[in-house]
Amino acid sequence: MLTLEQKKERAILVGIGVEYRQNDDQHRNEPLEELRLLADTAGALVIETMIQPRQEIDATYYMGKGKAQELLEEVNRLEATCVIFDNDLAPAQVANLQKLLDIKVIDRSGLILDIFAFRARTREAKIQVELAQLKYMLPRLTRQWTHLSRQVGGIGTRGPGETQLEVDRRRVRDRIAHLAQVLATIEKRRELTRKKRESCFRISLVGYTNAGKSTLLNALSGAGVPVENKLFKTLDSVTRLVRYKATPDMLISDTVGFIRNLPHDLVASFQSTLAEVRDADLLLHVIDITNPEWEEQVEVVMKVLADLGVSETNTIPVFNKIDMLENETLLTGIRARYPTAVCVSSVTLSGIDDLKEAMRASVLRNNLMLTMEFGPGDGPLLSAVYRHATVLETKEAGDRISLTFTIPASLAKKYGIVSKEQRTT
């Protein structure tokens, strides 16, 4: 896998498609602004951008042949060392462009994978990224071995290139299988950890990358998680226990940020990490209100949440970075459009108390106070109550025991706990 962080690349950014038409709205970002941020995060120096609002995709170069020649002229004039496309290219298209331009060609998925590889710190994150990289690389191996012969077959044409490619493919497939097995083992350990946390109310921070989730986690929990104004700063989930006055214990988890066209293999590899989102009782959807395209970013996040099967989970929209907002009247419209939203600044802590109160209300709304009587045959159920509930009162009468306790509604449903007296706290 090509790595950009090893040295400063002189990059030309390219976007092909109808979505790259110049937008006359001065409040919108430039068509390739997000790709520019990705390239900067990967360590590239952007020296030029090029777009082509093209209806049909060219099978050879993805872009039109004339535009490809224009790109070649720009590469030579600016002495570029790589070209980065905001599109996902087919292996043949990458090979054709590299042959024409005689420099490195990287597509959007390859760039994102490279950033993830650079950001990965823990063993699990490194395994997840390597697995995604290998799946991305496998169909492209036929274009990598240009120094070996690649004949079409027949007597006298079975050269060393064919042998080497088959060996390499087999090694990659074996490595993919091995890494998948390792991740499965890690997931089993994660599952045990999650079971131990079942008695706590679980909250996950979700949102577009660089929306300020890690900074918000610090503001809510004092976690001290390192923050940086870069995309995909957080790859590993970070969980902290928080205790607020008159509120049951809560676990808050920061998760990997989402982005438009996140590589499918990357999402698949990070399933165990994203399980924190699936198991959450409450989602805090963090939105960067200062980003001109925050509405589109919200749609991207909602689509990913739907793909994860958690679109029905109770969610609080959290509009972050209000301290940087120039037009504060925008907040009035947001509050009318999103009645349950909370507007905060995770840096100045403005609105944080309102967010904590919203979290507390959600916890108590999902917490049941129950009174139940248990007999000699209710051992497993009684054990589940002691393990997952907060017992408030105990009364004993012979071989029977009556308990008054609070328990998350999700756990009460999971263990089939039925009360004789029930009310929502």
Side-chain angles (χ1 to χ4, degrees):
M1 173 60 60
L2 299 172
T3 58
L4 289 178
E5 74 277 7
Q6 294 174 349
K7 63 178 181 178
K8 208 73 169 176
E9 303 274 359
R10 292 174 56 81
I12 296 178
L13 308 185
V14 179
I16 309 298
V18 293
E19 65 270 27
Y20 298 100
R21 295 186 188 279
Q22 292 286 1
N23 200 320
D24 294 331
D25 188 348
Q26 61 179 344
H27 298 293
R28 313 304 284 178
N29 280 343
E30 291 298 320
L32 295 176
E33 179 62 25
E34 185 172 270
L35 186 65
R36 182 187 293 272
L37 291 174
L38 286 169
D40 177 68
T41 300
L45 174 64
V46 177
I47 57 175
E48 182 64 280
T49 61
M50 180 181 293
I51 61 174
Q52 184 184 30
R54 184 181 177 87
Q55 288 279 0
E56 297 181 357
I57 300 305
D58 181 72
T60 304
Y61 296 119
Y62 200 91
M63 63 197 327
K65 186 175 181 180
K67 200 69 173 179
Q69 289 295 329
E70 181 183 334
L71 177 58
L72 174 60
E73 294 174 3
E74 288 297 287
V75 166
N76 294 331
R77 181 178 69 85
L78 298 172
E79 298 182 348
T81 59
C82 72
V83 174
I84 303 175
F85 278 75
D86 198 29
N87 315 88
D88 283 338
L89 307 180
Q93 291 166 338
V94 172
N96 292 335
L97 284 165
Q98 288 186 156
K99 183 178 180 180
L100 173 68
L101 304 175
D102 197 28
I103 61 171
K104 189 188 309 179
V105 175
I106 304 169
D107 65 5
R108 182 182 177 88
S109 288
L111 178 63
I112 293 175
L113 286 169
D114 181 80
I115 294 172
F116 269 62
F118 181 55
R119 293 292 190 189
R121 291 293 180 266
T122 66
R123 176 173 177 265
E124 181 180 4
K126 290 178 180 178
I127 292 174
Q128 289 168 327
V129 174
E130 183 184 353
L131 180 60
Q133 286 181 312
L134 290 174
K135 289 181 178 180
Y136 171 83
M137 184 187 297
L138 186 58
R140 292 163 172 80
L141 286 178
T142 55
R143 304 292 172 178
Q144 301 293 326
W145 297 89
T146 55
H147 61 292
L148 298 175
S149 61
R150 287 177 291 156
Q151 306 292 341
V152 295
I155 297 174
T157 61
R158 298 182 181 92
E162 183 181 19
T163 302
Q164 179 62 55
L165 287 171
E166 288 305 316
V167 170
D168 199 67
R169 289 194 196 100
R170 185 163 56 252
R171 286 175 176 172
V172 170
R173 292 192 186 100
D174 290 344
R175 182 65 177 169
I176 288 174
H178 171 70
L179 293 177
Q181 188 175 16
V182 172
L183 282 181
T185 302
I186 294 175
E187 172 59 16
K188 289 180 181 179
R189 291 200 297 266
R190 273 184 172 271
E191 185 64 28
L192 292 175
T193 302
R194 286 195 293 268
K195 285 184 177 179
K196 293 178 181 178
R197 297 173 176 174
E198 283 183 338
S199 58
C200 288
F201 188 85
R202 289 166 293 180
I203 301 172
S204 279
L205 298 171
V206 298
Y208 211 80
T209 181
N210 211 32
K213 298 186 299 301
S214 297
T215 308
L216 183 59
L217 176 65
N218 290 340
L220 292 171
S221 67
V225 176
V227 296
E228 187 179 353
N229 188 25
K230 294 283 187 179
L231 304 186
F232 300 117
K233 175 62 179 175
T234 301
L235 295 189
D236 301 286
S237 60
V238 179
T239 302
R240 294 293 184 268
L241 176 68
V242 295
R243 294 186 173 97
Y244 300 145
K245 185 178 180 181
T247 306
D249 290 350
M250 295 178 285
L251 288 171
I252 304 181
S253 298
D254 185 17
T255 57
V256 62
F258 303 146
I259 197 170
R260 174 177 57 87
N261 296 335
L262 196 62
H264 175 75
D265 289 331
L266 198 58
V267 176
S269 296
F270 273 75
Q271 284 300 312
S272 59
T273 300
L274 293 173
E276 298 286 352
V277 178
R278 290 196 299 270
D279 293 340
D281 300 297
L282 172 68
L283 300 179
L284 300 183
H285 180 180
V286 185
I287 304 161
D288 179 2
I289 189 59
T290 66
N291 192 302
E293 298 180 356
W294 66 264
E295 293 177 282
E296 288 81 357
Q297 293 182 352
V298 167
E299 292 179 3
V300 170
V301 173
M302 297 306 295
K303 182 180 184 303
V304 175
L305 294 179
D307 292 341
L308 292 173
V310 295
S311 55
E312 300 300 320
T313 303
N314 185 27
T315 303
I316 298 176
V318 182
F319 288 88
N320 192 23
K321 306 183 183 182
I322 60 173
D323 57 307
M324 300 170 59
L325 195 61
E326 295 180 359
N327 181 14
E328 295 187 2
T329 58
L330 178 63
L331 297 180
T332 303
I334 286 176
R335 291 188 176 102
R337 183 175 173 183
Y338 299 90
T340 62
V342 181
C343 299
V344 306
S345 167
S346 53
V347 174
T348 67
L349 303 185
S350 174
I352 291 297
D353 287 340
D354 294 336
L355 178 56
K356 290 180 179 179
E357 182 57 34
M359 292 161 57
R360 178 179 182 274
S362 182
V363 172
L364 297 181
R365 187 164 53 247
N366 286 274
N367 219 38
L368 302 178
M369 179 178 286
L370 311 175
T371 298
M372 291 183 64
E373 188 175 276
F374 301 88
D378 296 325
L381 188 59
L382 182 61
S383 176
V385 170
Y386 276 123
R387 186 166 63 251
H388 299 294
T390 300
V391 178
L392 305 176
E393 185 179 7
T394 302
K395 295 181 181 179
E396 297 184 9
D399 61 352
R400 306 189 71 79
I401 184 172
S402 176
L403 299 180
T404 298
F405 56 92
T406 59
I407 187 171
S410 58
L411 292 180
K413 180 179 179 180
K414 177 179 179 179
Y415 291 101
I417 296 174
V418 181
S419 65
K420 292 184 177 180
E421 178 184 352
Q422 175 177 328
R423 65 182 176 87
T424 303
T425 60

